[in-house]
Amino acid sequence: MTTHRPRIVDLSETQPNRRRGGDLRAMLTPSAVGATSGFMGMALVQPGEQIGEHYHPYSEEFVYVVSGALEVDLDGEPHPIRPDQGLLIPIRMRHRFRNVGDVEARMVFHLGPLAPRPELGHVDTEGADAVSPAAPPERAEPVS
């Protein structure tokens, strides 16, 4: 039985998360709407921007490109992904997104199931916060 009433969340109500590149907005989350099986959000990626490589040790990630031209690296292999295309990224698969077009790209993401604790849900594999992909996940965020 749900403990929250249904709630519509507007993108403008969410806080930008730019720590990994792009502008990631977690919208339908456990804290915002009482989600218990996963969470959904929107990625806004400007031309030339990228979302740094990472993986999710407990969750599959579903993505759907709404607008713009993106390229996704899956375990280091690049793939174009365009508007009206979706992709399932398996648990523990390293991935990175790049806007390869000349307009903002918008991508919906959903992760599920939830990690046992939010800090275990996301592992960076490049940049200042990176850990080795073989290392146990020590830090994470509930954001794609």
Side-chain angles (χ1 to χ4, degrees):
M1 182 161 136
T2 184
T3 59
H4 286 74
R5 293 182 46 83
R7 179 171 176 260
I8 295 172
V9 177
D10 192 88
L11 186 64
S12 66
E13 296 175 48
T14 62
Q15 295 298 312
N17 177 342
R18 298 184 179 277
R19 288 188 299 265
R20 293 179 181 89
D23 176 355
L24 304 176
R25 305 284 184 108
M27 296 178 67
L28 305 178
T29 66
S31 60
V33 298
T36 59
S37 64
F39 68 95
M40 189 277 299
M42 174 73 78
L44 311 169
V45 188
Q46 299 306 314
E49 276 189 323
Q50 76 171 13
I51 298 168
E53 187 182 80
H54 62 281
Y55 69 91
H56 307 284
Y58 296 95
S59 306
E60 296 176 319
E61 183 170 4
F62 300 80
V63 299
Y64 177 80
V65 178
V66 177
S67 63
L70 292 169
E71 190 170 79
V72 58
D73 294 337
L74 301 171
D75 280 343
E77 186 177 331
H79 302 274
I81 184 167
R82 305 288 184 245
D84 296 331
Q85 292 184 325
L87 170 66
L88 168 65
I89 302 170
I91 292 171
R92 295 192 65 81
M93 178 172 277
R94 293 177 295 114
H95 53 286
R96 158 193 315 113
F97 293 94
R98 284 183 300 283
N99 183 335
V100 295
D102 56 3
V103 299
E104 177 183 82
R106 289 183 169 227
M107 178 181 72
V108 175
F109 60 87
H110 175 271
L111 281 90
L114 292 169
R117 295 189 319 272
E119 69 275 8
L120 299 178
H122 183 110
V123 179
D124 291 309
T125 56
E126 68 183 2
D129 295 332
V131 298
S132 167
E138 294 178 349
R139 65 176 309 277
E141 301 289 327
V143 177
S144 168

